[in-house]
Amino acid sequence: MLEQILCIDDDPITLMLCKKVISKSSFSHEVITAQNGEEALLHFNTLKYTNDKNTKKPELIFLDLNMPIMGGWEFLDHFTSPDYSDFNSAPVIVLSSTIDPEDLAKAKQYPIIIDFLSKPITQPMLEYLKKKIGV
């Protein structure tokens, strides 16, 4: 079981569903959320400048692509930079409502992305991910 997962999505219903499905499937002890990429980066900046060694870092990130303020691609461009090297070993699962072939191709340019799945998150998806990441 993972300690902490970060779900980044602008839809509150999707975030609630993520929390419920993840908690029911014993996939992670804690699910934290951000409503866009900027909010997620602010979370990592807070972790970066907090010198508490006991602070948990997300071990997996579920990321939506189409969000206001800062979308998934822009988040990835920032998150994969050296500024976030303390955190960007966490694998990313793109969780999108559309599976656009261009998005699939673009995702391959980011080694941090380990899968591209269609919303909504389901228990069978989490079982598949457990095997894939060895949880």
Side-chain angles (χ1 to χ4, degrees):
M1 184 182 293
L2 297 174
E3 276 303 309
Q4 187 183 78
I5 292 176
L6 170 61
C7 293
I8 308 170
D9 199 302
D10 61 316
D11 179 22
I13 293 167
T14 298
L15 292 175
M16 183 189 67
L17 186 63
C18 270
K19 281 183 164 186
K20 281 193 177 205
V21 173
I22 288 167
S23 119
K24 270 189 174 180
S25 68
S26 301
F27 188 73
S28 178
H29 288 289
E30 182 181 13
V31 180
I32 59 172
T33 62
Q35 293 188 358
N36 58 61
E38 184 178 82
E39 198 176 293
L41 291 176
L42 285 172
H43 172 73
F44 288 110
N45 287 337
T46 301
L47 291 179
K48 187 176 180 178
Y49 298 111
T50 303
N51 290 329
D52 184 356
K53 298 295 176 205
N54 297 322
T55 303
K56 288 187 240 169
K57 297 188 283 189
E59 296 172 273
L60 182 71
I61 298 170
F62 285 106
L63 177 66
D64 185 24
L65 296 177
N66 301 311
M67 297 175 283
I69 302 171
M70 181 186 287
W73 297 124
E74 194 179 349
F75 166 79
L76 284 165
D77 288 340
H78 288 284
F79 191 64
T80 55
S81 76
D83 291 344
Y84 295 94
S85 60
D86 290 350
F87 311 104
N88 61 20
S89 61
V92 173
I93 311 287
V94 172
L95 201 57
S96 186
S97 51
T98 60
I99 299 208
D100 181 340
E102 285 182 30
D103 285 340
L104 287 168
K106 191 171 183 177
K108 290 184 168 102
Q109 297 171 13
Y110 294 89
I112 194 171
I113 297 175
I114 62 165
D115 218 323
F116 199 111
L117 302 172
S118 185
K119 286 182 190 177
I121 197 166
T122 62
Q123 285 196 300
M125 252 186 224
L126 293 176
E127 291 305 316
Y128 157 78
L129 290 171
K130 279 181 186 177
K131 291 179 185 139
K132 182 167 188 156
I133 61 176
V135 174

